[in-house]
Amino acid sequence: MRAFIVICLSLLAASLPAKAMQPGALASDTLNTPAWLSVSGEVRARHQFMKNQFRPGFPDEPDHILALRSLLDVKAKFSDAITVGAEMQDGRFIGADDATPLSTGFVNTFELLRAYATFTGTDVLGIKGKSELTVGRMTIGLGRGRLIGRNGFRNTINAFTGVHYVWSNGDKKLDAFWVLPVDRLPNGRADLLANNTAFDRENLARQLWAVHYEQKGLPWGLRGQIYLFGLHERDRPDLNTRNRQIYTPGFALFKAAKPNEWFIDLEMSANFGHSNKTSAVTDTQRLDHFGYTAHAEVGYRFDAPWTPMLLAQFDFASGDADPNDDKNGQYDTLFGPKRGDFGHTDIYGAFARENIIAPAVALHVWPTASTHARIRYQPAWLEEARDIWPDIGVVDFTGQSGTFIGHQVETRFTWDLAGGHMRLGAGSAFLFKGRFARDAPNANDNGDSVYLYSDVTLRF
């Protein structure tokens, strides 16, 4: 049945006339909207298969699910100065059962993802350049996307409510925002299994802000960024938090990949402040927080058939050395998507930017202008043996299970059709488990893990 649905969606997209597949044309032309109003969106169906789940507490049986994500974006541009918009999101799993890890990262049905107004001006208050102020509920992509970004592969998208100011002038750009991260609801497993709906909400008990500056036109074609994030939390009757009061300064230096040229991507940041180890009500111990991370990437893109690109990368994020002291040394990645540096997410998602050492090598090819394929090899170790395997929950507080998580081999392929308004995708990930993933006290020693997916996305 899942395969039948995907095939039907593919046939539907292939049958649409070329004119209808122009950006916004399918919806806007059908509704006969005026020029100042645009309607667009996408529907994605993804079949996922997982064998030998590495998360603890799940049965040793294969998991087949169909993940559906639908987005509908409506935008009204009243003038060059004022734009108002809203976007709906519906993310759900079909076929989920006891073998499926579920969270609001997978399921968030019939939800208002964005509702905002943007005010644009030039040389505002005598400040040279373009200014944009967005107010309301929004999604945010900033910098290299390692601390905050709009989720692409994952079945649901992070949203924030507040204000976001952007100033740009030539090669200079400044971002500043203050927002409340939106809590996705419902979050109970029974509700998620049933794809139930509850309206998401903001809470003043959790606040996030940032100042981010980017400079283009540096020597050798480089671009630089410096930034500071702040996250402030406190418990309330309707919200349990880790009471994080942390600041994250950092910088990035990078160069885009071009044919017959080397490229680099360097980024370093650190957290400092205070936090609790968990969000449990019983966890009241205040810990000094200091974590740090580094990403280094270098590669070369060849001017040859299929435009091959080779790259090597290294990711490091600190862990907590001693679970019993008054310090928390685990780096906090805030709201950063992780697929770009660590592989597929959703029901897979083996690695994250916390307590990890992970080098990698990858090969990208573009056989045609509309197709892209990648294969990547990435081994991973815990940075601290007594700290948790982040996002997975496997831990050995004695440190006697070692640190090696395993070898990950990941593939992905995309094919854009109809001018980019239809995309077919497929991919895989294989985790050949190391000693820690096999021998830790609560590890699933059920064999090496296999993840496969195929999807079709229709954009209008």
Side-chain angles (χ1 to χ4, degrees):
M1 175 59 72
R2 301 182 185 95
F4 175 74
I5 294 173
V6 172
I7 291 171
C8 287
L9 287 171
S10 301
L11 293 175
L12 173 62
S15 69
L16 292 171
K19 180 181 177 181
M21 296 304 289
Q22 296 303 311
L26 182 60
S28 297
D29 286 359
T30 302
L31 297 174
N32 195 27
T33 58
W36 53 266
L37 181 65
S38 67
V39 181
S40 61
E42 70 173 45
V43 178
R44 184 181 70 191
R46 174 182 293 141
H47 176 257
Q48 302 183 65
F49 167 82
M50 181 82 179
K51 180 181 179 182
N52 298 335
Q53 176 61 253
F54 39 72
R55 293 174 175 84
F58 288 91
D60 293 339
E61 60 185 59
D63 190 14
H64 292 267
I65 63 98
L66 180 66
L68 300 175
R69 188 176 81 176
S70 302
L71 301 171
L72 179 62
D73 187 15
V74 179
K75 185 183 301 182
K77 188 171 184 178
F78 296 108
S79 68
D80 291 338
I82 301 175
T83 301
V84 176
E87 184 177 15
M88 295 296 298
Q89 168 184 258
D90 185 273
R92 62 184 64 225
F93 273 13
I94 297 175
D97 55 25
D98 291 339
T100 307
L102 283 178
S103 74
T104 59
F106 311 146
V107 176
N108 191 215
T109 57
F110 194 64
E111 185 54 53
L112 184 64
L113 180 65
R114 294 192 296 162
Y116 63 91
T118 298
F119 306 92
T120 304
T122 302
D123 299 342
V124 177
L125 300 178
I127 301 174
K128 294 292 185 180
K130 179 181 178 181
S131 293
E132 288 186 356
L133 179 66
T134 300
V135 181
R137 183 177 287 189
M138 66 194 79
T139 59
I140 301 176
L142 190 61
R144 306 303 287 158
R146 296 188 175 103
L147 289 171
I148 191 169
R150 181 174 167 116
N151 312 84
F153 187 84
R154 202 182 74 180
N155 208 46
T156 66
I157 300 170
N158 291 331
F160 308 86
T161 299
V163 294
H164 183 191
Y165 172 74
V166 181
W167 169 85
S168 59
N169 186 8
D171 289 340
K172 302 174 183 179
K173 182 182 178 184
L174 176 69
D175 283 76
F177 65 75
W178 172 86
V179 294
L180 307 178
V182 174
D183 298 321
R184 293 184 295 273
L185 296 172
N187 52 24
R189 183 172 178 84
D191 286 322
L192 296 174
L193 277 169
N195 290 302
N196 288 337
T197 298
F199 292 125
D200 296 349
R201 65 188 178 203
E202 303 82 5
N203 200 316
L204 283 169
R206 179 185 290 132
Q207 303 180 25
L208 176 71
W209 58 266
V211 178
H212 184 284
Y213 176 76
E214 178 174 332
Q215 176 72 58
K216 301 178 184 178
L218 297 178
W220 306 296
L222 294 171
R223 297 165 64 178
Q225 299 171 343
I226 57 173
Y227 53 80
L228 176 64
F229 283 75
L231 177 63
H232 308 280
E233 296 178 329
R234 68 180 188 277
D235 287 343
R236 293 185 60 168
D238 57 345
L239 180 68
N240 295 329
T241 75
R242 291 171 51 205
N243 289 286
R244 291 173 291 179
Q245 304 289 327
I246 60 175
Y247 303 89
T248 304
F251 73 90
L253 191 66
F254 59 98
K255 179 183 178 182
K258 296 180 180 179
N260 279 345
E261 289 187 12
W262 292 92
F263 62 89
I264 65 168
D265 185 356
L266 306 174
E267 184 166 7
M268 297 182 67
S269 64
N271 321 119
F272 65 92
H274 299 87
S275 65
N276 293 4
K277 191 66 176 178
T278 71
S279 60
V281 176
T282 55
D283 185 357
T284 59
Q285 184 181 6
R286 195 75 166 149
L287 306 176
D288 291 330
H289 187 117
F290 181 74
Y292 48 98
T293 186
H295 172 88
E297 182 177 316
V298 61
Y300 191 86
R301 187 166 184 173
F302 297 87
D303 187 6
W306 290 24
T307 322
M309 183 174 75
L310 284 169
L311 65 88
Q313 70 180 66
F314 178 80
D315 281 280
F316 172 95
S318 63
D320 190 31
D322 186 350
N324 299 313
D325 65 10
D326 60 354
K327 297 179 175 61
N328 183 2
Q330 186 181 107
Y331 181 77
D332 193 315
T333 194
L334 301 181
F335 298 90
K338 60 185 183 180
R339 190 197 186 209
D341 294 331
F342 296 106
H344 308 308
T345 54
D346 267 9
I347 64 172
Y348 183 69
F351 304 152
R353 197 179 307 283
E354 300 169 4
N355 190 31
I356 196 169
I357 300 173
V361 291
L363 170 65
H364 295 249
V365 293
W366 288 263
T368 69
S370 60
T371 57
H372 169 240
R374 156 179 146 167
I375 183 169
R376 188 172 67 154
Y377 164 66
Q378 185 174 44
W381 292 259
L382 298 179
E383 197 274 325
E384 292 289 352
R386 299 173 67 188
D387 198 4
I388 198 168
W389 181 359
D391 290 352
I392 306 305
V394 177
V395 65
D396 183 351
F397 291 119
T398 70
Q400 296 179 2
S401 300
T403 61
F404 187 52
I405 302 172
H407 304 272
Q408 177 178 265
V409 178
E410 174 211 358
T411 68
R412 64 179 71 171
F413 172 79
T414 59
W415 182 16
D416 289 324
L417 302 168
H421 294 272
M422 176 180 178
R423 168 170 286 189
L424 303 180
S428 65
F430 304 89
L431 180 63
F432 302 98
K433 294 178 180 176
R435 179 186 169 197
F436 177 82
R438 295 192 310 265
D439 298 345
N442 65 333
N444 266 351
D445 186 15
N446 52 3
D448 297 327
S449 300
V450 178
Y451 171 75
L452 306 171
Y453 79 88
S454 59
D455 60 28
V456 58
T457 304
L458 305 180
R459 300 187 178 100
F460 54 87

